[in-house]
């Protein structure tokens, strides 16, 4: 840690020492009626060739400040929504203040108006893809819909994936700290018209944590005026069971203060079915066949609240406070399972049924405070502190009854498990960035401290209640991570380059009362990154990027506890998991800023995977989390979006991919086994404007996946046909929406594991076929944009189950 701090101080000293004599330029942007134009873009250009030297944006009052300008002659130009000012010649040899730069705003009166929107624009930057959607044909959809058709994104159930791996969602560079299901609910109710762009980072730079993979960052539009706005929204979904949700948000802004508060309540009753077949084997072949029909009914009550307060102390200092509360006072699950056991000849040997009841309570509370200082010489300093408290209580009562083929009772087996888990997360972070002409410099340090405590009690209940010590456990896990990074980027002529290096030192200790060895890990690792972009001409560009990444085990994965379906089917954690490291490469070719071709290769290393094994001796099926021996992924992606007509926009994404994984087959004499799959993913989505005034919109989408490698299973092909309609009333003050999913009933498919002495398959059938109706009412000055965001903490992601 001392080395990292010393490096940071030296870097900061070098930055300040090489500062040359520079000046600042201040002015305002107005229209022809002398009204300020908030957030207009301002550019300083070279006189010789009109190449941009610097750029900035005006504030809410149309005032701009441009700093760190070298002495010389320049042109100044401002623009806003496609309209620009005339060139203004300036000589900069001291701090300069000018009057208003005028942008003439054009307005036309038409007898009949046909509303059309431009198509979304995809822009390749040196370290990311920027998908600009503001004021486009798809901007009236939900944020979920916009992310679904963002280049490189694949939707699987409630999960958004990039390159067949889970991705992390950010809003304005603040991480969304919710489960996959909750993220989908949030984005479905977050208005697409608030979104300016979506940034896709396949290989995030050194300023981001080494933990994790790709990032989807939603950039919202700027606040445009002071005032108050709010909304209420309700939704109804009809699947196997009806569901509803309620939410409200409120935003208040003054010249110095922004306050945003939101609350969502989503009680649900869900059905999940599962058909499972296991063929237990010995040296002679299959000797026992188990067919299971498993029904789950889950009732959940969840309250999600958030409060964000921003206060501008002055022009250069800002304080932000963010708090989130996710309270789940109830999650009850009733499981019923019927299993038919046949011998190798297919004759029924016996049957058994299992009734299981799960009771779970969970609280997730967090607070985050940030101080930002903007230096006069065009630099920023950010200081952040964060705390999370996570608490989980779970009990499970399981009872099985065994019968002969004629229905005669044989025996029963009953047990109870009680589990508790508490996690505290504390982080502190400092970031500094500065521009030296066309060169950008970033550096920072971070400390993360995690304390996790878990207990499990296992009680046999056949003849009274008996505590079983060898199936019970107490587990503690402590982790400290110290990190520092440095990053440089530069643009010149037709080239852009960015490079960075991040160092993270990890110290962790895991202690289990049932495991005599204490699992201590201490390691210092370095994570380089490199990005190169070459713009050949206006129609052709190529880019390359590379980064090394880290994946630490989730806290639940390290917990050796077992969660049971019955005494012969369970999942268990693994306290001996180690972090895995990956190398990520991407090469892109862009044609006419419309056709995008990406070839990627990823060495996943000893990836952490959940694998299913059948114990043929004890007739047990178990899910085990372990490090695979090696894993690689590569593929070719093609993305193209086209406005067929003014009212019809077609988005297409095609991915041809390869996945392979070699793991230790622990129930096959500890042999290693390799699985691989070559597949294709196709997404075709049509966005339609169905009325002249643009208030009635429709969507028709089709997704095809040839198959997929998931742990020790290979998934069969699936298809999903979706339909959506959206109608706004009273100048968008009221919005009514209707959507339908899985119209072909082809979204749920079998997963098969068949190798060596393993032969099992399952079909999971959650409620993918449903119709959803939503209604939103906006009140107050509802045209305001808000400052809604979530806490950016990579450590919190590992809380997700």
């Amino acid at each position: 840690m001392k080395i990292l701090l010393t490096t940071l101080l030296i870097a900061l000293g070098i930055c300040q020492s090489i500062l040359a004599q520079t000046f600042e330029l201040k002015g305002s942007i107005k229209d022809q009626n002398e009204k300020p134009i908030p957030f207009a873009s301002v550019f300083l250009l070279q006189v010789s060739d009109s190449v941009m030297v610097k750029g900035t944006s005006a504030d809410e009052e149309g005032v701009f400040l441009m700093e760190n300008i070298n002495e010389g002659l320049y042109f100044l130009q401002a623009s806003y929504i496609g309209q620009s000012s005339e060139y203004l010649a300036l000589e900069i040899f001291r701090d300069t203040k000018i009057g208003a730069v005028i942008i003439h705003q054009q307005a036309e009166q038409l007898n009949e108006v046909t509303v059309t929107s431009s198509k979304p624009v995809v822009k390749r930057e040196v370290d990311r893809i920027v998908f600009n959607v503001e004021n486009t044909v798809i901007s009236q959809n939900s944020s979920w819909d916009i992310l679904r058709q963002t280049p490189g994104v694949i939707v699987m159930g409630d999960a958004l994936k990039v390159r067949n791996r889970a991705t992390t969602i950010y809003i304005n560079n603040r991480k969304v700290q919710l489960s996959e299901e909750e993220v989908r609910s949030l984005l479905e109710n977050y208005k697409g018209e608030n979104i300016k762009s979506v940034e896709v980072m396949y290989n995030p730079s050194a300023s981001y944590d080494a933990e994790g993979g790709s990032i989807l960052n939603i950039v919202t539009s700027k606040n445009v005026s002071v005032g108050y706005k709010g909304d209420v929204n309700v939704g109804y979904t009809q699947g196997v069971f009806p569901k509803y949700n309620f939410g409200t948000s409120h935003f208040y802004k003054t010249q110095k203060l922004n306050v945003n508060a939101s609350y969502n309540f989503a009680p649900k009753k869900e059905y999940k079915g599962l058909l499972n077949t296991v063929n237990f084997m010995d040296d002679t072949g299959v000797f026992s066949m188990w067919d299971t029909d498993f029904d789950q009914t889950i009732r959940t009550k969840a309250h999600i609240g958030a409060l964000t307060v921003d206060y501008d102390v002055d022009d250069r200092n800002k304080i932000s406070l963010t708090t989130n509360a996710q309270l789940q006072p109830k999650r009850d699950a009733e499981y019923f399972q019927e299993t038919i056991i046949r011998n190798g000849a297919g004759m029924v040997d016996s049957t058994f049924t299992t009734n299981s009841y799960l009771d779970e309570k969970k609280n997730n509370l967090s607070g985050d405070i940030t101080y930002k200082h903007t230096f006069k010489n065009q630099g920023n300093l950010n200081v952040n502190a964060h705390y999370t408290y996570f608490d989980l209580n779970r009990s499970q009562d399981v009872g099985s009854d065994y019968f002969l083929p004629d229905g005669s009772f044989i025996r029963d087996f009953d047990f109870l498990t009680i589990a508790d888990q508490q996690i505290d997360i504390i982080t502190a972070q400092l970031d500094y960035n500065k521009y030296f002409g066309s060169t950008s410099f970033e550096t920072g340090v971070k400390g993360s401290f995690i304390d996790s405590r878990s207990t499990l009690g296992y009680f046999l209940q056949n003849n009274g209640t008996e505590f079983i010590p060898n199936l019970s456990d107490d587990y503690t896990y402590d982790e400290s991570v110290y990190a520092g990074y440095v990053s440089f980027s530069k643009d010149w002529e037709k080239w852009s380059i960015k490079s960075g290096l991040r160092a993270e030192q990890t110290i962790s200790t895991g202690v289990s009362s049932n495991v005599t060895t204490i699992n201590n890990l201490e390691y210092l690792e370095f994570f380089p990154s490199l990005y190169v972009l070459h713009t050949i001409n206006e129609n052709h560009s190529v880019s390359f990027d590379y980064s090394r990444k880290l994946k630490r085990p989730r806290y639940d994965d390290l917990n050796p506890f077992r969660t049971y379906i019955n005494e012969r089917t369970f999942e268990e954690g693994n306290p001996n998991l180690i972090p895995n490291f990956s190398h990520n490469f991407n090469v892109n070719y862009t044609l006419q800023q419309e056709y995008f071709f990406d070839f990627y290769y990823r060495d996943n290393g000893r990836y952490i995977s959940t694998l299913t094994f059948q114990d043929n001796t004890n007739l047990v099926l178990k899910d085990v989390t372990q490090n695979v021996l090696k894993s690689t992924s590569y593929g070719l992606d093609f993305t193209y979006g086209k406005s067929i007509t003014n009212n019809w926009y077609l988005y297409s994404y095609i991915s041809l991919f390869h996945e392979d994984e070699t793991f230790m087959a622990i129930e096959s004499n500890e042999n290693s086994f390799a699985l691989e799959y070559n597949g294709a993913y196709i997404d075709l989505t049509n966005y339609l404007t169905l009325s002249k005034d643009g208030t009635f919109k429709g969507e028709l989408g089709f997704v095809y996946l040839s198959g997929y490698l998931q742990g020790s299973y290979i998934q069969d092909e699936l298809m999903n046909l979706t339909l959506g309609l959206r109608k706004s009333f009273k100048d968008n003050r009221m919005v009514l929406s209707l959507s339908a999913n899985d119209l072909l009933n082809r979204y749920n498919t079998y997963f098969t594991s068949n190798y060596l002495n393993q032969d099992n398959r399952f079909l999971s059938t959650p409620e993918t076929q449903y119709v959803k109706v939503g209604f939103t009412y906006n009140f107050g000055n509802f045209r305001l944009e808000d400052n809604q965001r979530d806490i950016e903490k990579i450590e919190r992601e590992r809380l997700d189950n």
Side-chain angles (χ1 to χ4, degrees), residues 45 57 60 77 134 153 219 370 377 379 445 507 544 570 588 683 750 794:
L45 313 173
S57 297
E60 299 168 4
Q77 187 182 42
E134 189 173 29
V153 176
V219 181
T370 300
N377 55 2
V445 292
I507 304 171
F544 167 81
F570 56 84
N588 169 266
D683 184 352
Y750 270 98
I794 193 70

Side-chain angles (χ1 to χ4, degrees), residues 56-97:
T56 188
S57 297
D59 62 16
E60 299 168 4
E61 305 301 324
V63 177
F64 72 89
L65 174 65
M66 197 175 291
E67 299 175 313
N68 198 27
I69 304 173
N70 294 323
E71 182 178 351
L73 293 172
Y74 301 96
F75 285 137
L76 183 72
Q77 187 182 42
S79 68
Y80 184 72
I81 313 182
Q83 301 183 56
S84 301
S85 69
E86 299 293 334
Y87 279 178
L88 175 65
L90 294 172
E91 182 180 6
I92 303 295
F93 58 91
R94 62 188 177 192
D95 290 346
T96 303
K97 183 176 181 180

Side-chain angles (χ1 to χ4, degrees), residues 502-557:
R502 186 179 186 90
E504 293 194 356
Q505 184 178 33
T506 304
I507 304 171
S508 66
T509 301
V511 181
S512 170
S513 63
N514 270 341
V515 179
T516 56
T517 303
I518 299 176
N519 189 5
N520 289 325
L521 289 175
E522 183 172 351
Y523 53 92
L524 173 64
E525 294 287 341
F526 295 90
F527 303 93
S529 58
L530 175 66
Y531 314 87
V532 180
L533 171 64
H534 177 49
T535 303
I536 302 171
N537 54 46
E538 62 181 7
N539 292 323
H540 304 274
S541 68
V542 294
S543 66
F544 167 81
D545 54 82
Y546 161 78
S547 69
R548 183 176 188 249
K549 286 295 180 181
L550 160 73
K551 182 69 175 180
R552 294 185 179 91
R554 291 182 178 179
Y555 311 124
D556 276 356
D557 293 339

Side-chain angles (χ1 to χ4, degrees), residues 486-502:
V486 62
S487 175
F488 294 89
S489 64
K490 181 175 178 59
D491 301 324
W492 73 96
E493 296 180 353
K494 297 181 178 181
W495 291 87
S496 296
I497 187 169
K498 183 174 183 176
S499 62
L501 179 65
R502 186 179 186 90

Side-chain angles (χ1 to χ4, degrees), residues 314-420:
D314 52 40
D315 291 342
R316 299 190 182 278
N317 296 280
K318 179 179 179 179
I319 298 175
S320 300
L321 173 67
T322 301
T323 60
N324 287 318
Q326 302 172 36
L327 308 177
Q328 182 183 280
K330 176 180 179 180
R331 184 177 182 269
D332 300 333
E334 296 179 5
Y335 304 150
F336 177 76
Q337 170 190 315
E338 182 177 21
T339 300
I340 299 175
I341 303 174
R342 295 179 173 86
N343 59 26
M347 303 295 294
V348 176
D349 272 345
S350 61
T351 64
F352 73 91
T353 60
T354 300
N355 286 282
S356 176
Y357 182 78
L358 179 71
D359 182 20
E360 183 178 278
K361 297 178 179 64
K362 180 169 65 175
N363 297 317
N364 192 332
L365 308 174
S366 63
D368 190 288
I369 187 169
T370 300
Y371 166 72
K372 179 179 180 180
H373 175 73
T374 302
F375 295 103
K376 184 177 180 181
N377 55 2
Q378 203 175 19
N380 293 311
L381 177 70
N382 286 273
V383 181
N384 173 267
H386 170 84
Y387 174 71
T388 286
Y389 173 75
F390 176 84
D391 178 50
L392 173 67
N393 305 108
R394 177 188 294 161
S395 64
Q396 185 178 16
D397 198 345
V398 183
S400 297
D401 295 318
Y402 291 80
F403 305 91
L404 292 173
D406 62 4
S408 302
F409 177 77
I410 303 175
R411 63 181 180 86
D412 60 358
F413 188 90
D414 303 306
F415 65 92
L416 170 69
T417 61
I418 300 176
D420 295 292

